[in-house]
Amino acid sequence: QVELQESGPRQVRTSQTLSLTCTVSGGSISGTTHYWSWIRQPAGKGLEWIGRVYYSGATDYNHSLKSRVTISVDTSANQFSLKLRSVTAADTAVYYCARLDYYGAGTSWGQGTLVTVSS
Amino acid sequence: SYVLTQPPSVSVAPGETARLTCGGDNVGSRSVHWFQQKSGQAPILVISYDSDRPSGIPERFSGSNSGNTATLTIRRVEVGDEADYYCQVWDGSSDHVVFGGGTKLTVL
């Protein structure tokens, strides 16, 4: 059973960079059938896909966030990471990491971590 | 970019059947996945590829997809089914995972 766990600062200052890491256990991040995604959810709102990374390092990003986002993978540590630059209060949300297949289906999600952006 | 439209809320009595819809342009040509999210919890996949149930999901949950509408059907609804439900597709034209806005299922 693959498990995912988000980690990183829970508070970020406005205009700084939000950085989160997702640690994968119970399975290898180097599997060829899965993509490692970040999804976020502002309080009381719906799910927003941020982007994904393949074990090779190939990425896809939400076009609305693409200019500020970098998602990377560290296969040696079995982790993948999210960096979101120039954050504002609108980036305050619960951030989830998830293992999804190419078409977006997936049963393995992290528990989510609330990141608050404030000045 | 591709848009999925879900009704904000659906209410149903225990034991009845709930039908949650997900509208999109020719969504029937895409594979639709459904996620259940209970308050304060991470989403759980309840239907993948239009109609497949992952292990552990009750048979009361089923899905269909045709034309411009995908539907998640929950038979014999229980109080424990009360949650937000999101449909999702992969949009190959933009290389995006797309979520619908979600439907809040209330069990009266």
Side-chain angles (χ1 to χ4, degrees), chain B residues 5-85:
Chain B
T5 301
Q6 298 183 249
S9 63
V10 169
S11 297
V12 65
E16 298 299 309
T17 297
R19 293 181 178 83
L20 283 62
T21 61
C22 174
D25 183 30
N26 198 24
V27 71
S29 67
R30 303 171 185 263
S31 293
V32 177
H33 316 301
W34 290 90
F35 292 86
Q36 174 196 69
Q37 186 181 34
K38 295 183 179 179
S39 181
Q41 299 183 18
I44 295 172
L45 182 69
V46 293
I47 292 291
S48 64
Y49 292 94
D50 298 338
S51 59
D52 292 342
R53 266 182 299 103
S55 174
I57 301 302
E59 292 183 8
R60 302 183 296 105
F61 288 79
S62 63
S64 62
N65 185 18
S66 179
N68 293 320
T69 305
T71 303
L72 171 68
T73 300
I74 309 172
R75 293 181 170 78
R76 300 184 302 280
V77 168
E78 302 175 356
V79 172
D81 298 330
E82 193 163 274
D84 295 322
Y85 290 84

Side-chain angles (χ1 to χ4, degrees), chain A residues 8-27:
Chain A
R10 302 298 194 264
Q11 299 250 2
V12 182
R13 295 290 189 191
T14 303
S15 80
Q16 300 302 303
T17 296
L18 181 158
S19 297
L20 293 173
T21 296
C22 184
T23 300
V24 180
S25 59

Side-chain angles (χ1 to χ4, degrees), chain A residues 37 39 41 44-49 52 60-64 96 100-107 109-112, chain B residues 31 33 35 37 40-45 48-49 54 84 86 88-90 92-101:
Chain A
S37 286
I39 297 107
Q41 184 174 37
K45 296 189 178 181
L47 301 169
E48 179 181 34
W49 180 75
R52 69 183 189 179
D60 294 305
Y61 296 128
N62 187 322
H63 292 176
S64 68
Y96 295 99
L100 306 178
D101 69 15
Y102 181 85
Y103 293 104
T107 58
W109 289 59
Q111 65 186 22
Chain B
S31 293
H33 316 301
F35 292 86
Q37 186 181 34
Q41 299 183 18
I44 295 172
L45 182 69
S48 64
Y49 292 94
D84 295 322
Y86 295 90
Q88 182 217 71
V89 299
W90 170 252
S93 64
S94 62
D95 290 333
H96 266 207
V97 167
V98 178
F99 286 99

Side-chain angles (χ1 to χ4, degrees), chain A residues 15-100:
Chain A
S15 80
Q16 300 302 303
T17 296
L18 181 158
S19 297
L20 293 173
T21 296
C22 184
T23 300
V24 180
S25 59
S28 173
I29 204 168
S30 298
T32 58
T33 57
H34 295 103
Y35 290 74
W36 306 93
S37 286
W38 288 97
I39 297 107
R40 70 180 183 178
Q41 184 174 37
K45 296 189 178 181
L47 301 169
E48 179 181 34
W49 180 75
I50 300 170
R52 69 183 189 179
V53 64
Y54 194 51
Y55 80 97
S56 63
T59 53
D60 294 305
Y61 296 128
N62 187 322
H63 292 176
S64 68
L65 298 169
K66 188 173 184 177
S67 64
R68 299 194 291 130
V69 172
T70 300
I71 297 176
S72 58
V73 64
D74 183 345
T75 55
S76 64
N78 230 34
Q79 296 176 330
F80 63 107
S81 298
L82 167 70
K83 291 189 184 300
L84 180 63
R85 297 174 291 277
S86 303
V87 297
T88 69
D91 295 309
T92 294
V94 174
Y95 285 76
Y96 295 99
C97 59
R99 185 185 77 167
L100 306 178

